[in-house]
Amino acid sequence: MSSSTTIIPGTSGPSADRIIVALDRPDAASALALVASIPDLLWVKVGLELFCSAGPDVVRQLRGEGLRVFLDLKFHDIPATMAGACRSAARLGAELITVHACSGREALAAAQAGACEGAAQEGLEAPTLLAVTVLTSWDAARFRAELAMAESPEDYVPRLAALAGAA
């Protein structure tokens, strides 16, 4: 199992405020052990593997430890489901939540509204939604062949980013 670290772009201040440690672990016990081994840790990322094995309780545990949570589940669904998922994620206390930009303007707007609603229900600040445009695992040839995309990823990414920004 590996862990990666992300630097939050556009931030300044102490390093602990700008670094997110990915808890790419198979279970809550190993994720919490990693957390305990890093002094002054403020931010953690919970991805699909950990969330599927440990569920929402792991987010609650991490928040209970005073950590800020980046919930990286890359939601992509119909607008009502996106709203509900982001509402629930915000109620858990996730401060950063990933969504797929290719879900479309309506779904992205619904996700934002749901996140704001969920945070308000818990008396929390609204989380920031991060729109995923194209996964880094795609190369141009596979992108065109497997997805039947006429555009290259280099052209598609800014268009989706603009769509997400508008939503």
Side-chain angles (χ1 to χ4, degrees), residues 87-129:
R87 182 182 309 109
S88 294
R91 290 185 70 199
L92 285 174
E95 295 183 58
L96 299 172
I97 302 168
T98 52
V99 296
H100 272 285
C102 61
S103 60
R105 184 185 311 258
E106 186 180 346
L108 294 170
Q112 182 68 43
C116 290
E117 181 184 331
Q121 289 170 348
E122 298 299 318
L124 300 170
E125 291 209 23
T128 298
L129 269 57

Side-chain angles (χ1 to χ4, degrees), residues 34-124:
L34 176 61
V35 164
S37 73
I38 303 172
D40 302 321
L41 180 62
L42 295 179
W43 278 97
V44 293
K45 179 182 76 79
V46 173
L48 283 170
E49 181 179 15
L50 180 57
F51 195 82
C52 287
S53 73
D57 283 341
V58 74
V59 176
R60 290 183 190 100
Q61 287 176 293
L62 294 164
R63 295 275 298 154
E65 295 288 325
L67 294 166
R68 301 177 78 180
V69 176
F70 168 13
L71 191 58
D72 187 18
L73 302 181
K74 298 176 187 77
F75 296 127
H76 181 189
D77 213 309
I78 64 172
T81 301
M82 294 270 288
C86 288
R87 182 182 309 109
S88 294
R91 290 185 70 199
L92 285 174
E95 295 183 58
L96 299 172
I97 302 168
T98 52
V99 296
H100 272 285
C102 61
S103 60
R105 184 185 311 258
E106 186 180 346
L108 294 170
Q112 182 68 43
C116 290
E117 181 184 331
Q121 289 170 348
E122 298 299 318
L124 300 170

